[in-house]
Coordinates of all heavy atoms in Angstrom, one line a residue:
M1 N -10.4 7.7 -13.2 CA -9.3 8.5 -12.7 C -9.1 8.1 -11.2 O -8.0 8.0 -10.7 CB -9.4 9.9 -12.9 CG -8.2 10.7 -12.5 SD -6.9 10.2 -13.6 CE -5.9 11.6 -13.5
S2 N -10.2 8.1 -10.5 CA -10.1 7.8 -9.0 C -9.5 6.5 -8.7 O -8.7 6.3 -7.8 CB -11.5 7.8 -8.3 OG -12.0 9.1 -8.4
W3 N -9.7 5.5 -9.6 CA -9.1 4.1 -9.4 C -7.5 4.2 -9.6 O -6.9 3.6 -8.9 CB -9.7 3.1 -10.4 CG -11.2 2.7 -9.9 CD1 -12.3 3.2 -10.5 CD2 -11.5 2.0 -8.8 NE1 -13.3 2.5 -9.9 CE2 -12.9 1.9 -8.8 CE3 -10.8 1.3 -7.8 CZ2 -13.6 1.2 -7.8 CZ3 -11.5 0.6 -6.9 CH2 -12.9 0.5 -6.9
L4 N -7.2 4.9 -10.6 CA -5.7 5.1 -10.8 C -5.1 5.8 -9.6 O -4.0 5.3 -9.2 CB -5.4 5.9 -12.2 CG -4.0 6.1 -12.5 CD1 -3.2 4.8 -12.6 CD2 -3.9 7.0 -13.8
I5 N -5.7 6.8 -9.2 CA -5.2 7.6 -8.0 C -5.1 6.7 -6.8 O -4.1 6.7 -6.0 CB -6.1 8.7 -7.7 CG1 -5.9 9.8 -8.8 CG2 -5.7 9.4 -6.3 CD1 -6.9 10.9 -8.7
L6 N -6.1 5.7 -6.6 CA -6.1 4.8 -5.5 C -5.0 3.8 -5.6 O -4.3 3.6 -4.6 CB -7.6 4.2 -5.5 CG -7.7 3.1 -4.3 CD1 -7.5 3.9 -3.0 CD2 -9.0 2.4 -4.4
V7 N -4.7 3.3 -6.9 CA -3.6 2.4 -7.0 C -2.3 3.1 -6.7 O -1.5 2.4 -6.0 CB -3.7 1.8 -8.4 CG1 -2.3 1.0 -8.8 CG2 -4.9 0.9 -8.7
V8 N -2.1 4.2 -7.2 CA -0.8 5.0 -6.9 C -0.7 5.2 -5.4 O 0.4 5.0 -4.8 CB -0.7 6.2 -7.7 CG1 0.5 7.0 -7.3 CG2 -0.8 6.0 -9.2
A9 N -1.8 5.6 -4.7 CA -1.7 5.8 -3.3 C -1.3 4.5 -2.6 O -0.6 4.5 -1.6 CB -3.1 6.3 -2.8
G10 N -1.9 3.3 -3.0 CA -1.6 2.1 -2.5 C -0.1 1.7 -2.7 O 0.6 1.3 -1.9
L11 N 0.4 2.1 -3.8 CA 1.9 1.8 -4.2 C 2.8 2.7 -3.2 O 3.8 2.2 -2.8 CB 2.2 2.0 -5.5 CG 1.6 1.0 -6.6 CD1 1.7 1.4 -8.0 CD2 2.0 -0.4 -6.3
L12 N 2.3 3.9 -3.1 CA 3.1 4.8 -2.1 C 3.0 4.3 -0.6 O 3.9 4.5 0.2 CB 2.6 6.2 -2.2 CG 3.0 6.9 -3.4 CD1 2.2 8.3 -3.5 CD2 4.5 7.2 -3.4
E13 N 1.9 3.6 -0.4 CA 1.8 2.9 1.0 C 2.9 1.9 1.2 O 3.5 1.7 2.2 CB 0.4 2.3 1.3 CG 0.4 1.8 2.7 CD -1.0 1.2 3.0 OE1 -1.8 0.9 2.0 OE2 -1.1 0.8 4.2
V14 N 3.2 1.2 0.1 CA 4.3 0.2 0.1 C 5.7 0.9 0.4 O 6.4 0.4 1.1 CB 4.3 -0.6 -1.3 CG1 5.4 -1.6 -1.4 CG2 3.0 -1.4 -1.5
V15 N 5.7 1.9 -0.4 CA 7.1 2.7 -0.2 C 7.3 3.1 1.3 O 8.3 3.0 1.8 CB 7.1 4.0 -1.1 CG1 8.3 4.8 -0.7 CG2 7.1 3.6 -2.5
W16 N 6.2 3.7 1.8 CA 6.4 4.1 3.2 C 6.4 3.0 4.3 O 7.2 3.0 5.2 CB 5.4 5.2 3.7 CG 4.0 5.0 3.9 CD1 3.0 5.3 3.1 CD2 3.4 4.4 5.1 NE1 1.8 5.0 3.6 CE2 2.0 4.4 4.8 CE3 3.9 3.8 6.2 CZ2 1.0 3.9 5.8 CZ3 2.9 3.4 7.1 CH2 1.6 3.3 6.9
A17 N 5.7 1.8 3.9 CA 5.7 0.7 4.9 C 7.2 0.1 4.9 O 7.8 -0.2 6.0 CB 4.7 -0.4 4.5
V18 N 7.8 -0.1 3.7 CA 9.1 -0.7 3.5 C 10.2 0.4 4.1 O 11.1 0.1 4.8 CB 9.4 -1.1 2.2 CG1 10.9 -1.5 2.0 CG2 8.5 -2.3 1.7
G19 N 9.8 1.6 3.8 CA 10.7 2.7 4.1 C 11.0 2.9 5.8 O 12.0 3.2 6.2
L20 N 9.9 2.4 6.4 CA 10.0 2.5 7.9 C 11.1 1.7 8.4 O 11.8 2.0 9.4 CB 8.7 2.0 8.5 CG 7.5 3.0 8.5 CD1 6.2 2.3 9.1 CD2 7.8 4.2 9.3
K21 N 11.4 0.5 7.8 CA 12.5 -0.3 8.2 C 13.9 0.4 8.0 O 14.7 0.2 8.9 CB 12.5 -1.6 7.4 CG 13.6 -2.6 7.7 CD 13.4 -3.9 7.1 CE 14.3 -4.9 7.6 NZ 14.3 -5.3 8.9
Y22 N 14.0 1.3 7.0 CA 15.2 2.0 6.9 C 15.5 3.2 7.6 O 16.5 3.8 7.6 CB 15.4 2.1 5.3 CG 15.5 0.8 4.6 CD1 14.4 0.3 3.9 CD2 16.7 0.1 4.6 CE1 14.5 -0.9 3.3 CE2 16.8 -1.1 3.9 CZ 15.7 -1.6 3.3 OH 15.7 -2.8 2.7
T23 N 14.4 3.7 8.2 CA 14.5 5.0 9.0 C 15.2 4.8 10.3 O 15.7 5.7 10.9 CB 13.1 5.6 9.3 OG1 12.5 4.8 10.1 CG2 12.3 5.9 8.0
H24 N 15.2 3.5 10.7 CA 15.9 3.2 12.0 C 15.2 4.2 13.2 O 15.9 4.8 13.9 CB 17.4 3.3 12.0 CG 18.0 2.3 11.2 ND1 18.4 1.0 11.6 CD2 18.3 2.3 9.9 CE1 18.9 0.4 10.7 NE2 18.9 1.1 9.7
G25 N 13.9 4.1 13.3 CA 13.2 4.8 14.2 C 13.2 6.4 13.9 O 13.2 7.2 14.9
F26 N 13.2 6.7 12.7 CA 13.3 8.1 12.2 C 14.6 8.8 12.6 O 14.6 10.0 12.9 CB 12.0 8.8 12.5 CG 10.8 8.4 11.8 CD1 9.9 7.7 12.4 CD2 10.7 8.8 10.4 CE1 8.8 7.2 11.6 CE2 9.6 8.4 9.7 CZ 8.7 7.6 10.3
T27 N 15.7 8.0 12.8 CA 17.0 8.6 13.2 C 17.8 8.8 11.9 O 19.0 9.4 12.1 CB 17.8 7.8 14.1 OG1 17.9 6.4 13.5 CG2 16.9 7.5 15.4
R28 N 17.4 8.3 10.7 CA 18.3 8.6 9.5 C 17.4 9.5 8.7 O 16.4 9.3 8.3 CB 18.5 7.1 8.9 CG 19.3 6.3 9.7 CD 19.6 4.9 9.1 NE 20.3 5.1 7.9 CZ 20.1 4.2 6.8 NH1 19.3 3.2 6.9 NH2 20.8 4.4 5.7
L29 N 18.2 10.6 8.3 CA 17.4 11.8 7.6 C 16.8 11.4 6.2 O 15.6 11.4 6.1 CB 18.4 12.8 7.4 CG 17.8 14.1 6.7 CD1 16.5 14.7 7.6 CD2 18.8 15.2 6.5
V30 N 17.6 10.8 5.4 CA 17.1 10.6 3.9 C 16.0 9.6 3.9 O 14.8 9.9 3.4 CB 18.2 10.3 2.9 CG1 17.7 9.9 1.6 CG2 19.1 11.4 2.9
P31 N 16.1 8.5 4.5 CA 15.0 7.5 4.5 C 13.7 8.0 5.3 O 12.6 7.8 4.9 CB 15.5 6.2 5.3 CG 17.0 6.4 5.1 CD 17.3 7.8 5.1
S32 N 14.0 8.8 6.4 CA 12.8 9.4 7.1 C 12.2 10.4 6.2 O 10.9 10.4 6.2 CB 13.4 10.0 8.3 OG 14.0 9.1 9.2
V33 N 12.7 11.2 5.4 CA 12.1 12.1 4.6 C 11.3 11.5 3.5 O 10.2 11.8 3.2 CB 13.2 13.2 4.0 CG1 12.5 14.1 2.9 CG2 13.7 14.1 5.1
I34 N 12.0 10.5 2.9 CA 11.2 9.7 1.8 C 10.0 9.0 2.4 O 8.9 9.1 1.8 CB 12.1 8.7 1.2 CG1 13.3 9.5 0.4 CG2 11.5 7.7 0.3 CD1 14.4 8.5 -0.1
T35 N 10.2 8.5 3.5 CA 9.1 7.7 4.2 C 7.9 8.7 4.5 O 6.8 8.5 4.2 CB 9.5 7.0 5.5 OG1 10.5 6.0 5.0 CG2 8.4 6.2 6.1
A36 N 8.2 9.8 5.3 CA 7.2 10.8 5.6 C 6.6 11.3 4.4 O 5.4 11.6 4.4 CB 7.9 11.9 6.5
T37 N 7.3 11.6 3.4 CA 6.7 12.2 2.2 C 5.7 11.2 1.5 O 4.6 11.6 1.1 CB 7.8 12.6 1.2 OG1 8.6 13.5 1.8 CG2 7.2 13.2 -0.2
A38 N 6.1 9.9 1.4 CA 5.3 8.9 0.9 C 4.0 8.7 1.6 O 2.9 8.5 1.2 CB 6.0 7.5 0.8
M39 N 4.2 8.9 3.0 CA 3.0 8.7 3.9 C 2.0 9.9 3.6 O 0.8 9.6 3.4 CB 3.5 8.9 5.4 CG 4.1 7.7 6.0 SD 4.7 8.2 7.7 CE 5.1 6.5 8.2
I40 N 2.5 11.0 3.6 CA 1.6 12.2 3.3 C 0.9 12.2 2.0 O -0.3 12.3 1.8 CB 2.4 13.6 3.5 CG1 2.8 13.7 4.9 CG2 1.6 14.8 3.0 CD1 3.9 14.8 5.2
V41 N 1.7 11.9 1.0 CA 1.2 11.9 -0.5 C 0.2 10.7 -0.6 O -0.9 10.8 -1.2 CB 2.3 11.8 -1.6 CG1 1.7 11.6 -2.8 CG2 3.1 13.0 -1.4
S42 N 0.5 9.6 0.0 CA -0.4 8.3 0.0 C -1.8 8.7 0.6 O -2.8 8.5 -0.1 CB 0.3 7.2 0.6 OG -0.6 6.0 0.6
V43 N -1.7 9.2 1.8 CA -3.0 9.5 2.4 C -3.7 10.7 1.8 O -5.0 10.6 1.6 CB -2.8 9.9 3.8 CG1 -4.1 10.4 4.5 CG2 -2.2 8.7 4.7
A44 N -3.1 11.5 1.1 CA -3.7 12.6 0.4 C -4.4 12.1 -0.8 O -5.6 12.5 -1.1 CB -2.6 13.8 0.0
M45 N -3.6 11.1 -1.5 CA -4.3 10.6 -2.7 C -5.4 9.7 -2.4 O -6.4 9.7 -3.2 CB -3.2 9.8 -3.5 CG -2.1 10.7 -4.1 SD -0.8 9.9 -5.1 CE -1.7 9.6 -6.5
L46 N -5.4 8.9 -1.3 CA -6.4 8.2 -0.8 C -7.7 9.0 -0.6 O -8.7 8.7 -1.0 CB -6.1 7.4 0.5 CG -7.2 6.6 1.2 CD1 -7.8 5.5 0.3 CD2 -6.7 6.1 2.5
S47 N -7.5 10.2 0.1 CA -8.6 11.1 0.3 C -9.2 11.6 -1.0 O -10.4 11.7 -1.1 CB -8.1 12.3 1.2 OG -9.0 13.3 1.3
W48 N -8.3 11.9 -1.9 CA -8.8 12.3 -3.2 C -9.6 11.3 -3.9 O -10.6 11.6 -4.4 CB -7.6 12.8 -4.1 CG -7.8 13.5 -5.3 CD1 -9.0 14.0 -5.8 CD2 -6.9 13.8 -6.4 NE1 -8.8 14.5 -7.0 CE2 -7.6 14.4 -7.4 CE3 -5.5 13.5 -6.5 CZ2 -6.9 14.9 -8.5 CZ3 -5.0 14.0 -7.7 CH2 -5.7 14.6 -8.7
A49 N -9.2 10.0 -3.9 CA -9.9 9.0 -4.5 C -11.2 8.8 -3.8 O -12.2 8.4 -4.5 CB -9.0 7.7 -4.5
M50 N -11.2 9.0 -2.5 CA -12.6 8.9 -1.8 C -13.7 9.9 -2.2 O -14.7 9.7 -1.7 CB -12.3 8.8 -0.3 CG -11.7 7.5 0.2 SD -11.6 7.6 2.0 CE -10.9 6.0 2.3
K51 N -13.3 10.8 -2.8 CA -14.2 11.9 -3.4 C -15.3 11.2 -4.1 O -16.5 11.5 -4.0 CB -13.6 13.0 -4.1 CG -12.8 13.9 -3.4 CD -12.2 15.0 -4.3 CE -11.3 16.0 -3.7 NZ -10.9 17.1 -4.6
T52 N -15.0 10.2 -4.9 CA -15.9 9.5 -5.8 C -16.1 8.0 -5.6 O -17.0 7.4 -6.0 CB -15.6 9.7 -7.2 OG1 -14.2 9.1 -7.4 CG2 -15.6 11.2 -7.6
L53 N -15.2 7.4 -4.7 CA -15.2 6.0 -4.4 C -15.8 5.8 -3.0 O -15.6 6.6 -2.2 CB -13.9 5.3 -4.6 CG -13.1 5.4 -5.9 CD1 -11.7 4.9 -5.8 CD2 -14.0 4.7 -6.9
P54 N -16.5 4.5 -2.8 CA -17.1 4.3 -1.5 C -15.8 4.2 -0.6 O -14.8 3.6 -0.8 CB -17.7 3.0 -1.7 CG -18.0 2.8 -3.1 CD -16.8 3.6 -3.9
V55 N -16.0 4.7 0.7 CA -15.0 4.7 1.7 C -14.5 3.2 2.0 O -13.3 3.1 2.1 CB -15.4 5.6 3.0 CG1 -16.5 4.8 3.8 CG2 -14.2 5.6 3.9
G56 N -15.4 2.3 2.2 CA -15.0 1.0 2.6 C -14.3 0.3 1.5 O -13.3 -0.3 1.8
T57 N -14.7 0.5 0.3 CA -14.0 -0.1 -0.9 C -12.6 0.6 -1.1 O -11.6 -0.2 -1.2 CB -14.8 0.1 -2.2 OG1 -16.1 -0.6 -2.0 CG2 -14.1 -0.5 -3.4
A58 N -12.5 1.8 -1.0 CA -11.2 2.5 -1.2 C -10.2 2.2 -0.2 O -9.1 1.9 -0.5 CB -11.5 4.1 -1.4
Y59 N -10.6 2.3 1.0 CA -9.7 2.0 2.2 C -9.3 0.6 2.2 O -8.0 0.3 2.3 CB -10.4 2.4 3.5 CG -9.4 2.2 4.7 CD1 -8.4 3.1 4.9 CD2 -9.4 1.1 5.6 CE1 -7.5 3.0 5.9 CE2 -8.5 0.9 6.5 CZ -7.6 1.9 6.8 OH -6.6 1.8 7.8
A60 N -10.1 -0.4 1.9 CA -9.8 -1.8 1.9 C -8.8 -2.1 0.7 O -7.8 -2.8 0.9 CB -11.0 -2.7 1.8
I61 N -9.0 -1.5 -0.5 CA -8.1 -1.7 -1.5 C -6.8 -1.1 -1.2 O -5.8 -1.6 -1.5 CB -8.8 -1.2 -2.9 CG1 -10.0 -2.1 -3.3 CG2 -7.7 -1.0 -4.0 CD1 -10.7 -1.7 -4.4
W62 N -6.8 0.1 -0.7 CA -5.5 0.8 -0.4 C -4.7 0.0 0.5 O -3.5 -0.2 0.4 CB -5.9 2.2 0.2 CG -4.8 3.1 0.6 CD1 -3.9 3.8 -0.2 CD2 -4.4 3.4 2.0 NE1 -3.0 4.5 0.6 CE2 -3.4 4.3 1.9 CE3 -5.0 3.2 3.2 CZ2 -2.7 4.9 3.0 CZ3 -4.4 3.7 4.4 CH2 -3.3 4.6 4.2
T63 N -5.3 -0.4 1.6 CA -4.6 -1.2 2.6 C -4.2 -2.6 2.1 O -3.0 -3.1 2.4 CB -5.4 -1.4 3.9 OG1 -6.6 -2.0 3.7 CG2 -5.7 -0.2 4.7
G64 N -5.0 -3.1 1.1 CA -4.7 -4.4 0.6 C -3.4 -4.3 -0.4 O -2.5 -5.1 -0.3
I65 N -3.3 -3.2 -1.1 CA -2.3 -3.0 -2.0 C -1.0 -2.8 -1.2 O 0.0 -3.4 -1.5 CB -2.5 -1.8 -2.9 CG1 -3.5 -2.1 -4.0 CG2 -1.1 -1.4 -3.6 CD1 -4.0 -0.8 -4.7
G66 N -1.2 -2.1 -0.1 CA 0.0 -1.8 0.8 C 0.5 -3.2 1.5 O 1.7 -3.4 1.6
A67 N -0.5 -3.9 1.9 CA -0.1 -5.1 2.7 C 0.6 -6.2 1.6 O 1.6 -6.8 2.1 CB -1.4 -5.8 3.3
V68 N 0.0 -6.4 0.4 CA 0.6 -7.3 -0.5 C 1.8 -6.8 -0.9 O 2.8 -7.6 -1.0 CB -0.5 -7.6 -1.6 CG1 0.2 -8.4 -2.7 CG2 -1.8 -8.4 -1.1
G69 N 1.9 -5.6 -1.2 CA 3.1 -4.9 -1.8 C 4.3 -5.0 -0.7 O 5.4 -5.3 -1.1
A70 N 4.0 -4.7 0.5 CA 5.0 -4.9 1.5 C 5.5 -6.2 1.7 O 6.7 -6.5 1.9 CB 4.5 -4.2 2.9
A71 N 4.5 -7.1 1.7 CA 4.9 -8.6 1.9 C 5.8 -9.1 0.8 O 6.7 -9.7 1.0 CB 3.7 -9.4 2.1
V72 N 5.3 -8.7 -0.5 CA 6.1 -9.2 -1.6 C 7.6 -8.5 -1.6 O 8.5 -9.3 -1.9 CB 5.3 -8.9 -3.0 CG1 6.2 -9.1 -4.1 CG2 4.1 -9.8 -2.9
T73 N 7.6 -7.4 -1.3 CA 8.8 -6.6 -1.2 C 9.7 -7.2 -0.1 O 11.0 -7.5 -0.4 CB 8.7 -5.1 -0.9 OG1 7.9 -4.5 -1.9 CG2 10.0 -4.4 -0.8
G74 N 9.1 -7.6 0.9 CA 9.8 -8.4 2.1 C 10.4 -9.7 1.6 O 11.6 -10.0 1.8
I75 N 9.6 -10.4 0.7 CA 10.1 -11.7 0.3 C 11.2 -11.5 -0.8 O 12.2 -12.2 -0.7 CB 8.8 -12.5 -0.4 CG1 7.8 -12.9 0.7 CG2 9.3 -13.6 -1.3 CD1 6.6 -13.3 0.2
L76 N 11.0 -10.6 -1.7 CA 11.9 -10.4 -2.9 C 13.1 -9.7 -2.5 O 14.3 -10.0 -2.9 CB 11.3 -9.7 -4.0 CG 10.0 -10.4 -4.7 CD1 9.4 -9.5 -5.7 CD2 10.4 -11.7 -5.3
L77 N 13.1 -8.7 -1.6 CA 14.3 -7.9 -1.3 C 14.8 -8.0 0.1 O 16.1 -7.7 0.2 CB 13.9 -6.4 -1.6 CG 13.4 -6.0 -2.9 CD1 13.1 -4.5 -2.9 CD2 14.5 -6.3 -4.0
L78 N 14.1 -8.5 1.0 CA 14.6 -8.5 2.4 C 14.8 -10.0 2.9 O 15.0 -10.2 4.1 CB 13.6 -7.8 3.3 CG 13.4 -6.3 2.8 CD1 12.5 -5.7 3.7 CD2 14.8 -5.6 2.9
G79 N 14.6 -11.0 2.1 CA 14.8 -12.4 2.5 C 13.8 -12.9 3.4 O 14.0 -13.9 4.2
E80 N 12.5 -12.4 3.4 CA 11.5 -13.0 4.4 C 11.0 -14.2 3.8 O 11.1 -14.5 2.6 CB 10.3 -11.8 4.5 CG 10.9 -10.6 5.2 CD 9.8 -9.5 5.3 OE1 8.7 -9.7 5.0 OE2 10.2 -8.4 5.8
S81 N 10.3 -15.0 4.5 CA 9.7 -16.2 4.2 C 8.7 -16.2 3.1 O 8.0 -15.3 2.9 CB 9.0 -16.8 5.4 OG 8.3 -18.0 5.0
A82 N 8.9 -17.2 2.2 CA 8.0 -17.3 1.0 C 7.3 -18.7 1.1 O 7.2 -19.3 0.0 CB 8.8 -17.1 -0.3
S83 N 6.8 -19.0 2.3 CA 6.2 -20.3 2.4 C 5.0 -20.4 1.7 O 4.4 -19.3 1.3 CB 5.9 -20.5 3.9 OG 4.8 -19.7 4.3
A84 N 4.5 -21.6 1.4 CA 3.2 -21.8 0.6 C 2.1 -21.1 1.3 O 1.2 -20.5 0.7 CB 3.0 -23.2 0.4
A85 N 2.0 -21.1 2.6 CA 0.9 -20.5 3.4 C 0.8 -19.1 3.2 O -0.1 -18.5 3.1 CB 1.0 -21.0 4.8
R86 N 2.0 -18.5 3.3 CA 2.2 -17.0 3.1 C 1.7 -16.6 1.7 O 1.0 -15.6 1.5 CB 3.6 -16.7 3.4 CG 3.8 -15.2 3.6 CD 5.1 -14.8 4.4 NE 4.9 -13.4 4.7 CZ 6.1 -12.7 4.7 NH1 7.2 -13.1 4.4 NH2 5.9 -11.4 5.0
I87 N 2.2 -17.3 0.7 CA 1.9 -16.9 -0.7 C 0.4 -17.1 -0.8 O -0.3 -16.3 -1.4 CB 2.7 -17.8 -1.7 CG1 4.2 -17.6 -1.5 CG2 2.2 -17.5 -3.1 CD1 4.6 -16.2 -1.9
F88 N -0.2 -18.2 -0.3 CA -1.6 -18.4 -0.5 C -2.4 -17.3 0.2 O -3.5 -16.9 -0.3 CB -2.0 -19.8 0.1 CG -3.5 -20.1 0.0 CD1 -4.1 -20.3 -1.1 CD2 -4.2 -20.1 1.2 CE1 -5.5 -20.7 -1.2 CE2 -5.6 -20.4 1.2 CZ -6.2 -20.6 0.0
S89 N -2.0 -16.9 1.3 CA -2.7 -15.8 2.0 C -2.5 -14.5 1.2 O -3.6 -13.7 1.2 CB -2.0 -15.7 3.4 OG -2.2 -16.8 4.1
L90 N -1.5 -14.3 0.6 CA -1.3 -13.1 -0.3 C -2.3 -13.2 -1.4 O -2.9 -12.2 -1.8 CB 0.0 -12.8 -0.7 CG 1.1 -12.5 0.4 CD1 2.5 -12.5 -0.1 CD2 0.7 -11.1 1.0
V91 N -2.4 -14.4 -2.0 CA -3.4 -14.6 -3.1 C -4.8 -14.3 -2.7 O -5.6 -13.7 -3.5 CB -3.2 -16.0 -3.8 CG1 -4.3 -16.3 -4.7 CG2 -1.8 -16.2 -4.4
L92 N -5.2 -14.7 -1.5 CA -6.5 -14.5 -0.9 C -6.8 -12.9 -0.9 O -7.7 -12.5 -1.2 CB -6.7 -15.1 0.4 CG -6.8 -16.6 0.4 CD1 -6.8 -17.3 1.7 CD2 -8.0 -17.1 -0.4
I93 N -5.7 -12.2 -0.5 CA -5.8 -10.7 -0.3 C -6.1 -10.2 -1.7 O -6.9 -9.4 -1.9 CB -4.7 -10.1 0.4 CG1 -4.6 -10.5 1.9 CG2 -4.7 -8.5 0.4 CD1 -3.4 -10.1 2.6
V94 N -5.3 -10.6 -2.7 CA -5.4 -10.0 -4.0 C -6.8 -10.4 -4.6 O -7.5 -9.5 -5.1 CB -4.4 -10.7 -4.9 CG1 -4.7 -10.3 -6.4 CG2 -3.0 -10.1 -4.6
C95 N -7.4 -11.6 -4.3 CA -8.7 -11.9 -4.7 C -9.7 -11.1 -4.1 O -10.7 -10.6 -4.7 CB -9.0 -13.4 -4.3 SG -8.1 -14.6 -5.4
G96 N -9.6 -10.7 -2.8 CA -10.4 -9.8 -2.1 C -10.4 -8.4 -2.7 O -11.4 -7.7 -2.9
I97 N -9.1 -8.0 -3.1 CA -9.0 -6.6 -3.8 C -9.8 -6.6 -5.1 O -10.6 -5.7 -5.4 CB -7.5 -6.3 -3.9 CG1 -6.9 -6.0 -2.7 CG2 -7.4 -5.0 -4.9 CD1 -5.3 -5.9 -2.7
I98 N -9.6 -7.6 -5.9 CA -10.3 -7.7 -7.2 C -11.8 -7.8 -7.0 O -12.6 -7.2 -7.6 CB -9.8 -9.0 -8.0 CG1 -8.3 -8.8 -8.4 CG2 -10.6 -9.3 -9.2 CD1 -7.5 -10.0 -9.0
G99 N -12.2 -8.6 -5.9 CA -13.7 -8.7 -5.7 C -14.3 -7.4 -5.3 O -15.3 -7.0 -5.8
L100 N -13.6 -6.7 -4.5 CA -14.0 -5.3 -4.2 C -14.2 -4.4 -5.4 O -15.1 -3.6 -5.5 CB -13.1 -4.7 -3.1 CG -13.2 -5.2 -1.7 CD1 -12.1 -4.7 -0.8 CD2 -14.6 -4.8 -1.1
K101 N -13.2 -4.4 -6.2 CA -13.1 -3.5 -7.4 C -14.3 -4.0 -8.3 O -15.0 -3.1 -8.8 CB -11.8 -3.7 -8.1 CG -11.7 -3.2 -9.5 CD -12.0 -1.7 -9.7 CE -11.9 -1.1 -11.1 NZ -13.0 -0.7 -11.6
L102 N -14.5 -5.2 -8.5 CA -15.6 -5.7 -9.3 C -16.9 -5.4 -8.8 O -18.0 -5.2 -9.6 CB -15.5 -7.2 -9.7 CG -14.2 -7.5 -10.5 CD1 -14.1 -9.0 -10.7 CD2 -14.1 -6.9 -11.9
S103 N -17.1 -5.2 -7.6 CA -18.4 -5.1 -6.9 C -18.7 -3.7 -6.7 O -19.8 -3.3 -6.1 CB -18.5 -5.9 -5.8 OG -17.6 -5.4 -4.7
A104 N -17.7 -2.8 -6.9 CA -17.9 -1.4 -6.6 C -18.9 -0.7 -7.6 O -18.8 -1.1 -8.8 CB -16.6 -0.6 -6.7
H105 N -19.6 0.2 -7.2 CA -20.6 0.9 -8.2 C -20.1 2.0 -8.7 O -19.3 2.8 -8.4 CB -21.9 1.4 -7.3 CG -22.6 0.1 -6.7 ND1 -22.4 -0.4 -5.6 CD2 -23.6 -0.6 -7.3 CE1 -23.2 -1.4 -5.4 NE2 -23.9 -1.5 -6.4

């Protein structure tokens, strides 16, 4: 169950990371509320997952999901670069996430 909570927390990190772009410095109400809510729930779920998962593993996976998700969202929805080097770097992060999951006790 902790792993599922951690993945959802990571996905919510994507929501708030991308949401920051739409808040315009927290001057727009609806995007700001969505972003702040996603931040709070994401960190709360990370904390919950850390009750049973190692801190280093949980935090690295949480940030990895957030980083890859935000980058992929930027590519697919915001027209950001999809260069081979960028895609390769994202694949390396995913490999690291998988490696951390497989090596967790």
Side-chain angles (χ1 to χ4, degrees):
M1 186 64 157
S2 293
W3 288 106
L4 178 61
I5 292 166
L6 182 61
V7 169
V8 173
L11 294 173
L12 284 170
E13 187 184 6
V14 176
V15 171
W16 70 256
V18 174
L20 283 172
K21 182 165 183 68
Y22 295 99
T23 68
H24 293 270
F26 289 101
T27 60
R28 296 179 61 210
L29 181 62
V30 173
S32 296
V33 169
I34 291 168
T35 299
T37 302
M39 285 176 171
I40 292 166
V41 175
S42 178
V43 172
M45 291 180 81
L46 171 63
S47 175
W48 189 11
M50 283 184 179
K51 287 181 182 180
T52 58
L53 298 176
V55 66
T57 300
Y59 185 74
I61 290 174
W62 179 70
T63 58
I65 292 169
V68 170
V72 169
T73 301
I75 291 168
L76 296 177
L77 300 180
L78 304 174
E80 296 177 4
S81 169
S83 68
R86 192 159 189 216
I87 300 299
F88 179 70
S89 298
L90 291 171
V91 168
L92 289 175
I93 295 170
V94 171
C95 288
I97 291 169
I98 293 167
L100 286 169
K101 166 61 173 108
L102 294 176
S103 66
H105 293 92

